[in-house]
Amino acid sequence: MKKEIVLLQEEMDKENIDFYLVPTSDDHNSEYVSDYFKCREYLSGFTGSAGTLLVSKDAAWLWTDGRYYLQAAKELEGSGITLMKDGTAGVLSIPDFLAKEMGENTTLAFNGKLYSTAFCMGLRRKLAGKNRRMKIDIDLVHKIWTDAPKRSCKTIYPFEAKYAGTPVHEKLTSYREYLKKHNADCQVLNGLTDIAWLFNLRGHDVACTPVFLAYAYIDLDTAILFLQKEAVSEETATYLEEASIEVKDYDSFYKFLGSLTGKKILMDQSDLNFYGYQSLNRELRQIPGQKYTTQAKIIKNDTEISNTKACHLRDAVYMTKFMYWLKHEIKKRNLTEIEVADYIDKLRLSDKLALDLSFETISAYGANAAIVHYTATEESNAIIEPKGLLLVDSGGHYLDGTTDITRTFAMGPLSDKERTMFTTVLRSMLHLANAKFLAGCRGSNLDCLAREPMWEMGIDFRHGTGHGVGHVLSVHEGPNNFRYRVTKANLDAILMPGMITTDEPGIYLDHQFGIRIENELLCTKWKQNEYGAFLKFDYLTYVPIDLDAIDIDLLSEQEKMWLNDYHSSVYDKIHPFLTIEEQEWLRKYTRAI
Amino acid sequence: MKKEIVLLQEEMDKENIDFYLVPTSDDHNSEYVSDYFKCREYLSGFTGSAGTLLVSKDAAWLWTDGRYYLQAAKELEGSGITLMKDGTAGVLSIPDFLAKEMGENTTLAFNGKLYSTAFCMGLRRKLAGKNRRMKIDIDLVHKIWTDAPKRSCKTIYPFEAKYAGTPVHEKLTSYREYLKKHNADCQVLNGLTDIAWLFNLRGHDVACTPVFLAYAYIDLDTAILFLQKEAVSEETATYLEEASIEVKDYDSFYKFLGSLTGKKILMDQSDLNFYGYQSLNRELRQIPGQKYTTQAKIIKNDTEISNTKACHLRDAVYMTKFMYWLKHEIKKRNLTEIEVADYIDKLRLSDKLALDLSFETISAYGANAAIVHYTATEESNAIIEPKGLLLVDSGGHYLDGTTDITRTFAMGPLSDKERTMFTTVLRSMLHLANAKFLAGCRGSNLDCLAREPMWEMGIDFRHGTGHGVGHVLSVHEGPNNFRYRVTKANLDAILMPGMITTDEPGIYLDHQFGIRIENELLCTKWKQNEYGAFLKFDYLTYVPIDLDAIDIDLLSEQEKMWLNDYHSSVYDKIHPFLTIEEQEWLRKYTRAI
């Protein structure tokens, strides 16, 4: 067994703990976590962005999803940890597994700050009986991880009005109206993107997510931010003072929860972590209700939309220049995955409004692209030859918006199979992007427009077709998305004008190749008539889709028209920012077929 | 004020009742009700199939939906009852209206057997405060309705093994396993289709629904049916005795509920009526849970499926002969809507296994078809001329299954608009019917395949695309359906092999015409591979779709192939049962286009 696991098992023994759970999370339920919080990676050696480790006295298991089956299998080799392929027939979920494996009088422990209250409530119901216990006020990993990185504490800065659109006092007013509507007096916020959006502040405590460590409290009169005081610049302090926002110490939040009395608190169990929930004063009356920010921040305001369009245009110019470079360079010499990723990253980060990449660039050649969320490492770094397919999924945070785009490029001759599958993925992307629909539809209603071209071939891809995109926040933002699986507990958002969602179907054939094509879609009004309000999508992304990889015979007339219209817009928008040579090339790569 | 209302108000006065509510329902929440239960019609004079009457000390209101605004306005003329157009802006719902109108210390009364517990719980929350009371153990209408029809009491007969497939003892065993899984000891059943399905019995107490008045009780050892004893034939008595099913008197059910103690009851508040709920012994521990039969009866067993196919074949022969007659007869003379309905009804009821129509046949010509649930009456009965479109929606209950089919026929020359819209409806029907999808999909995921051909034209239809079909039960059966709107409270069923759902998109243009094309679809397995289990639909309905009404230029190659394949199957299956003349005609009407 891996030595870090053995160390943990020794600590478990001291505390009389039978099972210890280590998710990929931080105290704020963030998707990406800063180095300080990378406990699961430290213990297991698995570097993927999603996965949960469970350790017992004599065994260990790691659950991860379809994107990471191959990568996890490789990274866990020799660790003694059993890979649990989440979502595969016969593989129990973690709660079900625990319910089965935990015997009489056993104890499960984990750091209760790393899980939402909703999850822990469900787990507790699952484990009821048999005198089983759940211990949540403990962090064994940082006890053994003696050289763990320090907690991040980067400077917090105001997100200016010209970028935020809606001023903080208006957002707070709306929040208070929302509280009153729900017959509540106050709410606490645990999620970092919600806090950054609400207070019009940004920071850099989490990789690829311009947010900062914080908790917040809002009631009908006051608003309190719990911050690491060293992170508060003078400018930010002045801004907060002018907005009448009180600042308290980050680490005093849980004590504050215990002191809160005489209020009706709007309780979002999917937001507040379980340790926080347990810290609440028992006298507080709880009213169940989603935090205001969840719905408010996914409808982008006019400033955010026009800024997003502007940054997407610059981003598309970088991507087009990158594609031009790729197509020419591969004729001269072989490339590598990392070299290619560095090239596009550098272009993006040269932008004068660039803040960060919006996630680590995926540059995956040939069979590597069949691993959905592959990241090239020094060891895996494949040599790109003038043949086959290269998948590049990348994006940036700019002060005026966030981008996320995937293109798959023909690096030279392709097999018929590669061409057929590329064309199928393109058809999927186009069918969803061109949907017209009545207001009231959810992403789950429309997802099958993208899936059907694949399903009719008996093929599927093991990820959502699309996710919401935060505005200079997390590139993954819910609850709007395109997924067909819904449950009572997890209904996706009704699509509304102003929402931004990606459209990124793919085909992944193990040990062969992987294809994904991703455009971002802005939901907009189409027409209003006696049947109601119809909506549609506008593209935000304007980058050529590689015509070298398409089998024209597989496209219907309608699909050709959709593609030609798109490429015509790409040319119109992008060519003014290119050199003469690039312009000529772009004309060819956006020609009507 | 209408004299029946005045009589009711006198009774209300005696009982100190301020508001009295009369819905369209029976003691079993049935969709269609027998004559004994038509209290709302008796009091108000309004004969539509949906509506609720509310009477106060000095006024009366009738709520009904868009289908019935015109008819209700006419029938209520001079009655003194105010028409409340449900769904119109500014018209309050009944609970909201009561919440507003009921003052301090007032009493609302109604027959609690006519509403589900779930509805009444919601109403009670709405009316909380102001010392308002709700009296539900009273039936004032049958007190004044002295010449009311007697409660129906038709003979109950066993639904033989060759029709039911699964014997009652197996169903009861599964029910008991379900109870154990939910940690419950017993459940009561209030819904008539659930009881008929579970006990393999049928009857004829409700129009167009071969069920009988009954309640049921199941625990881990016993099963009790509460029946009108005069309805129990000797054969049925023997059958029940052999199956160890106890019979008690129908009218002793509520007393029985009061006597039930020492059990954990699985409580389905959407099934049990409120009077029943209030009759339950207070000591009974309740565990919330859906009745077993809801999910069990929608997955048809092998016998039900092969029988359904057999009855659909005969039903299709009747429909094809009907179409042949229509197409020829209209060349000779004008027809009427009622005459046409009578013709197809007679063909169906001549079948040696026929039990009843599965609903009242809709025969709607020209502009009448734009009224979605139009029924031809002696007054409205339109004359069918050799032009335009005739919509016929009809079906039958046979001992071996239930059918529901809509065809729209060109009675002569059509306008371009009629042809375009007909072709669009056809495309919608075909796109949904030919879907391939991964197990886990719901109807709400697939609905937009049918809607998209219309939505892209800015058109919609105001009904679900499809509903589940009961097996010799109600032609409308949930929770499987094709609808895109879902809520947490009302998620549709996950589609599974063995489910039968209609596929019936339509286009309705006010004062012009209406088109609907409806086939029934059986969900079946398609293929299993590394992506999971793929499912598809098989047609159950094999009746020509009128080629006279199609604009071929609007169909893609794929759509033509779907239609041609379908018509080729129609010919193969149906022609052996036709005359030589009909066969020749069918060959033409199923030709490849």
Side-chain angles (χ1 to χ4, degrees):
Chain A
M1 187 70 74
K2 200 164 172 297
K3 73 170 196 300
E4 289 82 358
I5 306 272
V6 175
L7 283 173
L8 180 71
Q9 285 167 332
E10 287 169 14
E11 290 299 322
M12 287 165 61
D13 224 41
K14 287 185 208 158
E15 303 277 351
N16 271 318
I17 290 165
D18 302 282
F19 290 88
Y20 194 83
L21 202 52
V22 190
T24 307
S25 188
D26 64 10
D27 296 358
H28 306 274
N29 249 308
S30 301
E31 182 184 359
Y32 302 114
V33 301
S34 59
D35 292 342
Y36 171 82
F37 290 106
K38 290 185 174 163
C39 297
R40 191 266 300 145
E41 182 176 328
Y42 163 74
L43 285 174
S44 69
F46 167 58
T47 60
S49 75
T52 298
L53 178 72
L54 176 68
V55 179
S56 75
K57 296 194 163 193
D58 50 12
W61 303 263
L62 182 115
W63 277 257
T64 191
D65 63 70
R67 298 173 296 171
Y68 290 116
Y69 291 167
L70 292 177
Q71 179 182 335
K74 217 164 159 182
E75 293 182 343
L76 294 182
E77 228 167 73
S79 70
I81 300 168
T82 305
L83 175 59
M84 304 292 279
K85 295 182 178 178
D86 226 353
T88 309
V91 173
L92 292 178
S93 70
I94 294 164
D96 286 332
F97 183 86
L98 284 168
K100 186 164 163 279
E101 293 293 321
M102 282 180 71
E104 300 262 347
N105 283 310
T106 52
T107 298
L108 166 71
F110 55 88
N111 177 354
K113 293 178 185 170
L114 302 180
Y115 273 117
S116 75
T117 301
F119 175 86
C120 295
M121 295 294 222
L123 185 60
R124 196 155 69 177
R125 276 192 297 274
K126 212 42 143 200
L127 301 181
K130 292 195 189 177
N131 197 23
R132 297 187 278 210
R133 287 170 301 274
M134 210 158 100
K135 189 169 167 57
I136 62 129
D137 54 349
I138 197 161
D139 177 0
L140 290 187
V141 187
H142 279 100
K143 219 163 169 182
I144 61 172
W145 190 10
T146 47
D147 59 344
K150 286 185 71 170
R151 196 165 72 187
S152 174
C153 183
K154 302 266 172 63
T155 303
I156 301 165
Y157 53 92
F159 196 56
E160 296 175 55
K162 65 179 172 185
Y163 298 128
T166 312
V168 62
H169 66 83
E170 276 184 32
K171 290 182 180 176
L172 288 173
T173 301
S174 301
Y175 210 133
R176 286 167 180 142
E177 279 161 17
Y178 180 84
L179 289 176
K180 283 183 214 159
K181 212 183 102 192
H182 285 77
N183 195 26
D185 303 317
C186 65
Q187 188 157 40
V188 291
L189 284 177
N190 194 157
L192 302 185
T193 56
D194 295 89
I195 295 171
W197 175 85
L198 178 63
F199 292 96
N200 290 340
L201 293 168
R202 294 296 186 272
H204 292 281
D205 285 335
V206 178
C208 298
T209 317
V211 297
F212 49 93
L213 292 177
Y215 302 97
Y217 166 83
I218 303 98
D219 67 20
L220 300 180
D221 306 308
T222 62
I224 307 176
L225 261 173
F226 296 81
L227 302 174
Q228 299 187 92
K229 296 226 165 142
E230 316 82 72
V232 182
S233 66
E234 211 164 301
E235 182 197 9
T236 297
T238 309
Y239 162 77
L240 290 171
E241 208 178 317
E242 281 172 2
S244 305
I245 295 157
E246 200 179 327
V247 176
K248 288 187 188 281
D249 186 59
Y250 179 73
D251 291 304
S252 71
F253 176 65
Y254 296 98
K255 212 175 146 193
F256 172 82
L257 292 181
S259 71
L260 209 53
T261 50
K263 301 254 185 204
K264 286 176 289 183
I265 189 168
L266 196 64
M267 176 49 53
D268 189 336
Q269 294 198 346
S270 68
D271 181 55
L272 186 58
N273 72 48
F274 196 50
Y275 184 79
Y277 184 79
Q278 296 286 18
S279 306
L280 282 172
N281 194 300
R282 296 292 126 197
E283 282 172 31
L284 223 51
R285 193 173 137 212
Q286 297 184 13
I287 294 167
Q290 197 177 51
K291 55 191 169 184
Y292 163 70
T293 46
T294 303
Q295 277 292 323
K297 77 180 188 300
I298 62 175
I299 311 281
K300 273 61 180 175
N301 63 40
D302 291 346
T303 304
E304 289 171 331
I305 289 171
S306 63
N307 282 354
T308 296
K309 286 179 179 171
C311 85
H312 266 277
L313 189 61
R314 302 196 308 280
D315 197 81
V317 171
Y318 305 138
M319 278 297 296
T320 305
K321 283 174 175 287
F322 166 65
M323 181 175 173
Y324 173 87
W325 173 80
L326 260 185
K327 289 279 184 180
H328 286 79
E329 204 68 10
I330 196 63
K331 285 184 188 147
K332 299 183 222 159
R333 63 181 181 97
N334 287 349
L335 302 164
T336 70
E337 290 172 337
I338 291 183
E339 179 185 7
V340 156
D342 287 348
Y343 195 92
I344 181 62
D345 292 354
K346 214 168 139 186
L347 275 173
R348 233 177 221 121
L349 295 174
S350 72
D351 188 275
K352 62 183 192 300
L353 297 184
L355 291 175
D356 198 349
L357 301 180
S358 60
F359 55 98
E360 198 177 351
T361 296
I362 297 172
S363 164
Y365 179 62
N368 283 348
I371 306 167
V372 177
H373 274 196
Y374 170 80
T375 309
T377 62
E378 288 300 338
E379 297 86 61
S380 70
N381 191 11
I383 295 186
I384 304 170
E385 298 175 78
K387 64 173 185 186
L389 294 166
L390 170 70
L391 184 159
V392 181
D393 187 353
S394 62
H397 288 298
Y398 306 92
L399 271 171
D400 53 352
T402 298
T403 66
D404 184 359
I405 170 174
T406 310
R407 285 293 180 270
T408 305
F409 304 104
M411 300 311 294
L414 300 183
S415 68
D416 285 351
K417 195 174 186 181
E418 286 169 322
R419 211 177 280 279
T420 301
M421 295 304 174
F422 185 97
T423 312
T424 305
V425 173
L426 171 61
R427 294 177 61 226
S428 290
M429 193 281 282
L430 290 171
H431 277 262
L432 177 55
N434 286 283
K436 307 283 189 295
F437 52 99
L438 269 178
C441 273
R442 300 166 190 274
S444 52
N445 295 129
L446 302 183
D447 188 37
C448 78
L449 295 177
R451 302 260 171 193
E452 203 52 48
M454 294 182 192
W455 283 354
E456 68 191 16
M457 297 168 70
I459 295 176
D460 188 45
F461 51 95
R462 293 197 190 88
H463 59 74
T465 305
H467 56 82
V469 178
H471 189 77
V472 201
L473 293 167
S474 175
V475 72
H476 294 154
E477 183 177 83
N480 54 312
N481 66 45
F482 296 116
R483 290 172 179 272
Y484 66 96
R485 287 179 200 275
V486 292
T487 61
K488 277 198 190 201
N490 198 16
L491 271 191
D492 52 325
I494 288 173
L495 293 165
M496 285 192 274
M499 286 186 184
I500 295 173
T501 319
T502 66
D503 172 11
E504 48 177 314
I507 290 181
Y508 310 92
L509 300 184
D510 281 0
H511 312 300
Q512 299 181 55
F513 56 84
I515 299 160
R516 185 162 65 250
I517 301 175
E518 174 185 27
N519 276 1
E520 282 186 54
L521 305 179
L522 171 68
C523 181
T524 58
K525 288 181 185 178
W526 180 39
K527 60 165 80 174
Q528 174 90 39
N529 60 23
E530 67 266 38
Y531 301 106
F534 282 92
L535 306 177
K536 66 177 174 59
F537 298 116
D538 288 348
Y539 288 115
L540 287 169
T541 310
Y542 284 101
V543 175
I545 291 162
D546 195 349
L547 292 173
D548 295 341
I550 293 174
D551 182 346
I552 298 181
D553 294 342
L554 299 179
L555 296 178
S556 71
E557 289 309 311
Q558 170 75 83
E559 290 160 350
K560 280 183 209 166
M561 210 181 75
W562 284 336
L563 181 65
N564 290 340
D565 286 353
Y566 176 70
H567 270 153
S568 156
S569 300
V570 170
Y571 185 81
D572 290 349
K573 285 175 189 283
I574 305 303
H575 87 273
F577 306 97
L578 302 181
T579 65
I580 303 287
E581 293 76 24
E582 287 168 340
Q583 285 187 3
E584 263 172 42
W585 171 88
L586 181 64
R587 192 178 289 283
K588 184 180 150 210
Y589 272 84
T590 55
R591 70 188 182 276
I593 57 167
Chain B
M1 188 68 74
K2 198 165 173 294
K3 73 170 196 298
E4 289 82 358
I5 306 273
V6 175
L7 283 172
L8 181 72
Q9 285 166 331
E10 286 170 14
E11 292 297 324
M12 287 164 62
D13 225 40
K14 287 184 206 159
E15 304 276 351
N16 270 319
I17 290 165
D18 304 282
F19 291 88
Y20 194 85
L21 201 52
V22 190
T24 307
S25 186
D26 65 9
D27 295 358
H28 306 275
N29 249 308
S30 301
E31 183 183 358
Y32 304 111
V33 302
S34 59
D35 291 343
Y36 171 82
F37 291 105
K38 291 184 173 164
C39 296
R40 191 265 301 145
E41 184 176 326
Y42 162 75
L43 285 174
S44 68
F46 167 57
T47 60
S49 75
T52 300
L53 179 72
L54 176 67
V55 179
S56 75
K57 296 196 162 192
D58 49 12
W61 304 265
L62 182 114
W63 277 257
T64 191
D65 63 68
R67 297 174 293 172
Y68 291 115
Y69 291 168
L70 292 177
Q71 181 184 335
K74 214 166 163 184
E75 293 180 344
L76 294 182
E77 227 166 73
S79 70
I81 301 168
T82 305
L83 175 59
M84 304 293 278
K85 296 182 179 179
D86 225 356
T88 308
V91 172
L92 292 178
S93 71
I94 295 164
D96 285 333
F97 183 86
L98 284 167
K100 185 164 166 281
E101 293 292 321
M102 283 181 70
E104 299 262 348
N105 284 310
T106 51
T107 299
L108 166 71
F110 56 88
N111 177 354
K113 295 177 185 171
L114 302 179
Y115 276 116
S116 75
T117 300
F119 175 85
C120 294
M121 295 293 222
L123 185 59
R124 195 155 68 176
R125 275 192 298 274
K126 209 46 143 201
L127 301 182
K130 292 196 187 177
N131 197 23
R132 297 187 278 211
R133 287 171 302 273
M134 211 159 99
K135 189 169 168 57
I136 61 127
D137 54 350
I138 197 160
D139 177 1
L140 290 186
V141 188
H142 280 101
K143 217 162 169 181
I144 60 172
W145 190 9
T146 46
D147 59 345
K150 287 185 73 170
R151 198 165 68 187
S152 176
C153 184
K154 302 265 172 64
T155 304
I156 300 166
Y157 52 92
F159 196 55
E160 296 174 54
K162 65 179 174 184
Y163 297 129
T166 312
V168 62
H169 65 85
E170 276 184 31
K171 290 182 180 177
L172 288 173
T173 301
S174 301
Y175 210 133
R176 285 167 181 143
E177 279 161 17
Y178 179 85
L179 289 176
K180 282 182 213 157
K181 211 183 106 193
H182 285 77
N183 195 25
D185 303 317
C186 64
Q187 188 157 40
V188 290
L189 284 177
N190 194 156
L192 301 185
T193 56
D194 295 89
I195 295 171
W197 176 84
L198 179 64
F199 292 97
N200 291 339
L201 294 168
R202 294 295 186 273
H204 291 280
D205 286 335
V206 178
C208 298
T209 318
V211 297
F212 49 93
L213 292 177
Y215 302 98
Y217 166 83
I218 303 99
D219 68 20
L220 300 180
D221 306 308
T222 62
I224 307 175
L225 262 173
F226 297 81
L227 301 175
Q228 299 185 92
K229 296 227 166 142
E230 315 82 72
V232 182
S233 66
E234 211 164 302
E235 182 195 8
T236 297
T238 309
Y239 162 78
L240 290 171
E241 208 179 318
E242 281 171 2
S244 305
I245 295 158
E246 200 178 326
V247 176
K248 289 186 187 281
D249 186 59
Y250 179 73
D251 292 304
S252 71
F253 175 65
Y254 297 98
K255 211 175 148 194
F256 171 83
L257 292 181
S259 72
L260 208 54
T261 51
K263 303 253 184 205
K264 286 176 290 183
I265 188 168
L266 196 64
M267 176 49 53
D268 189 337
Q269 294 199 347
S270 67
D271 180 57
L272 186 59
N273 71 49
F274 196 50
Y275 184 78
Y277 183 79
Q278 297 286 19
S279 306
L280 282 172
N281 194 300
R282 294 294 127 197
E283 283 172 30
L284 223 50
R285 195 174 135 211
Q286 296 185 15
I287 294 166
Q290 197 177 50
K291 55 191 168 183
Y292 164 71
T293 45
T294 303
Q295 277 291 324
K297 75 180 189 300
I298 62 175
I299 311 281
K300 273 61 180 175
N301 63 40
D302 292 345
T303 305
E304 289 171 333
I305 288 170
S306 62
N307 282 354
T308 296
K309 286 179 179 171
C311 86
H312 266 277
L313 189 61
R314 302 196 308 279
D315 197 80
V317 171
Y318 305 138
M319 280 297 295
T320 305
K321 283 175 175 287
F322 167 65
M323 182 175 173
Y324 174 88
W325 172 81
L326 261 186
K327 289 279 183 180
H328 286 81
E329 204 68 9
I330 196 64
K331 285 182 188 149
K332 300 183 222 158
R333 63 181 181 97
N334 288 349
L335 301 164
T336 70
E337 290 171 336
I338 291 182
E339 179 186 6
V340 157
D342 287 348
Y343 195 92
I344 181 60
D345 292 354
K346 214 170 140 185
L347 275 173
R348 236 178 218 117
L349 294 174
S350 71
D351 187 275
K352 62 182 193 300
L353 298 184
L355 292 175
D356 200 348
L357 300 180
S358 59
F359 57 96
E360 199 177 349
T361 296
I362 296 172
S363 164
Y365 180 63
N368 283 347
I371 305 166
V372 177
H373 275 190
Y374 171 79
T375 308
T377 62
E378 288 300 338
E379 298 86 62
S380 70
N381 192 12
I383 295 188
I384 304 170
E385 296 174 78
K387 64 173 184 186
L389 293 166
L390 170 71
L391 184 159
V392 180
D393 188 353
S394 62
H397 288 297
Y398 306 91
L399 271 172
D400 52 353
T402 298
T403 66
D404 184 359
I405 169 173
T406 309
R407 285 294 180 270
T408 304
F409 304 103
M411 301 311 295
L414 300 184
S415 68
D416 286 349
K417 195 174 186 182
E418 285 170 322
R419 210 176 281 279
T420 300
M421 296 304 173
F422 185 96
T423 311
T424 305
V425 173
L426 171 61
R427 293 178 61 225
S428 290
M429 194 281 283
L430 290 172
H431 277 262
L432 177 54
N434 286 282
K436 307 284 189 294
F437 51 100
L438 270 177
C441 273
R442 301 166 188 275
S444 53
N445 295 128
L446 302 183
D447 189 38
C448 79
L449 295 177
R451 303 260 172 192
E452 202 52 48
M454 294 181 193
W455 283 354
E456 68 190 17
M457 297 168 71
I459 295 175
D460 188 45
F461 53 95
R462 293 196 188 88
H463 58 76
T465 305
H467 55 82
V469 178
H471 189 76
V472 201
L473 294 167
S474 175
V475 72
H476 294 151
E477 183 178 83
N480 54 313
N481 66 46
F482 296 116
R483 290 172 179 274
Y484 67 97
R485 286 179 200 275
V486 292
T487 61
K488 279 197 191 202
N490 198 15
L491 271 192
D492 52 325
I494 287 174
L495 293 164
M496 284 192 273
M499 285 186 184
I500 295 173
T501 319
T502 65
D503 171 11
E504 49 178 313
I507 290 181
Y508 310 93
L509 300 184
D510 280 359
H511 312 300
Q512 300 181 55
F513 56 84
I515 299 161
R516 185 163 63 250
I517 301 175
E518 174 185 27
N519 276 2
E520 283 186 53
L521 305 180
L522 171 69
C523 181
T524 58
K525 289 181 185 179
W526 180 40
K527 60 166 80 175
Q528 172 90 38
N529 60 23
E530 68 267 39
Y531 300 106
F534 282 93
L535 306 177
K536 65 177 174 59
F537 297 117
D538 288 347
Y539 288 114
L540 288 169
T541 310
Y542 284 100
V543 175
I545 291 161
D546 195 350
L547 292 174
D548 294 341
I550 293 173
D551 182 345
I552 298 182
D553 295 342
L554 299 180
L555 296 178
S556 71
E557 290 309 310
Q558 170 75 84
E559 290 160 351
K560 280 183 209 166
M561 211 181 75
W562 284 335
L563 181 65
N564 290 339
D565 285 352
Y566 176 69
H567 270 154
S568 157
S569 301
V570 170
Y571 185 80
D572 290 349
K573 286 174 189 283
I574 305 304
H575 87 273
F577 305 97
L578 302 181
T579 65
I580 302 288
E581 293 76 24
E582 287 168 338
Q583 285 187 1
E584 262 172 41
W585 171 88
L586 182 63
R587 193 178 289 283
K588 184 179 150 209
Y589 272 84
T590 55
R591 71 187 181 278
I593 56 167

